Amino acid sequence: IGQMPVLAEENLGIDVRSTAYGWLYACFGLGAMLGALSVGTTFANTPKEDVTRWGLVAFGCSLGVFAWLRDPAPAFVMIVVVGFFYFASVTALSTVLQMHLAGNERGRVMALWMMAFGGTVPIGNLVAGPLIEATSVTTIVFPGAIMAIVLGWWADTRTDRPYAH
């Protein structure tokens, strides 16, 4: 999300100070909201480990498509899809983590989880910024999308492992 302004301007020709950019960002938010809500509704009976894994694969695929788009019209639809799968994955992953923590550990671990998860976003932006300046936003975002697909495919989501109950 930190690279969204660059993707909008360089790839889609959308000025980040424009109403169109506001709508693009709102479309991401709509997808994110629907993705988070889907974990407790549409995917309520689906193992959250599976939602995490396949959501990450779908997120990588949709982000890869979004990174290659040059026309704003399909970008408004694709960013809804990106947001959906991103937040479905994150919400399911957080749910899995909380389900497998002992009650007396949950608060401490979730505090660290939020710091590690949310706290790395600015670091990623600091690393990506100079790389994007030297190459292009697509050159950096597309391999990140591929990495999301690989990690999702590789993720061991079996539930037969012992946990800290």
Side-chain angles (χ1 to χ4, degrees):
I1 200 68
Q3 302 311 318
M4 178 98 110
V6 182
L7 282 161
E9 284 200 343
E10 290 186 11
N11 287 5
L12 303 171
I14 298 173
D15 183 348
V16 296
R17 295 174 305 263
S18 70
T19 303
Y21 180 73
W23 280 109
L24 186 69
Y25 208 88
C27 286
F28 175 80
L30 173 65
M33 179 189 68
L34 294 173
L37 289 172
S38 73
V39 173
T41 57
T42 305
F43 300 124
N45 295 320
T46 304
K48 300 309 170 262
E49 294 86 356
D50 292 348
V51 175
T52 300
R53 181 179 190 189
W54 297 112
L56 193 55
V57 170
F59 164 70
C61 291
S62 60
L63 180 62
V65 170
F66 185 76
W68 284 103
L69 289 175
R70 298 299 181 265
D71 182 0
F76 283 94
V77 174
M78 187 51 63
I79 199 67
V80 173
V81 176
V82 170
F84 178 91
F85 286 117
Y86 176 68
F87 269 83
S89 299
V90 170
T91 304
L93 185 59
S94 180
T95 302
V96 168
L97 181 60
Q98 291 181 59
M99 287 171 44
H100 297 296
L101 287 170
N104 63 339
E105 299 169 333
R106 194 169 292 129
R108 292 183 300 252
V109 171
M110 293 312 294
L112 291 171
W113 162 264
M114 287 308 299
M115 288 303 296
F117 185 77
T120 58
V121 171
I123 295 168
N125 288 334
L126 285 172
V127 171
L131 295 173
I132 289 169
E133 287 289 326
T135 59
S136 74
V137 67
T138 304
T139 303
I140 302 306
V141 173
F142 190 75
I146 298 296
M147 184 58 68
I149 295 167
V150 169
L151 289 173
W153 189 260
W154 174 73
D156 184 0
T157 59
R158 292 175 300 168
T159 59
D160 59 347
R161 295 174 312 231
Y163 290 101
H165 282 291

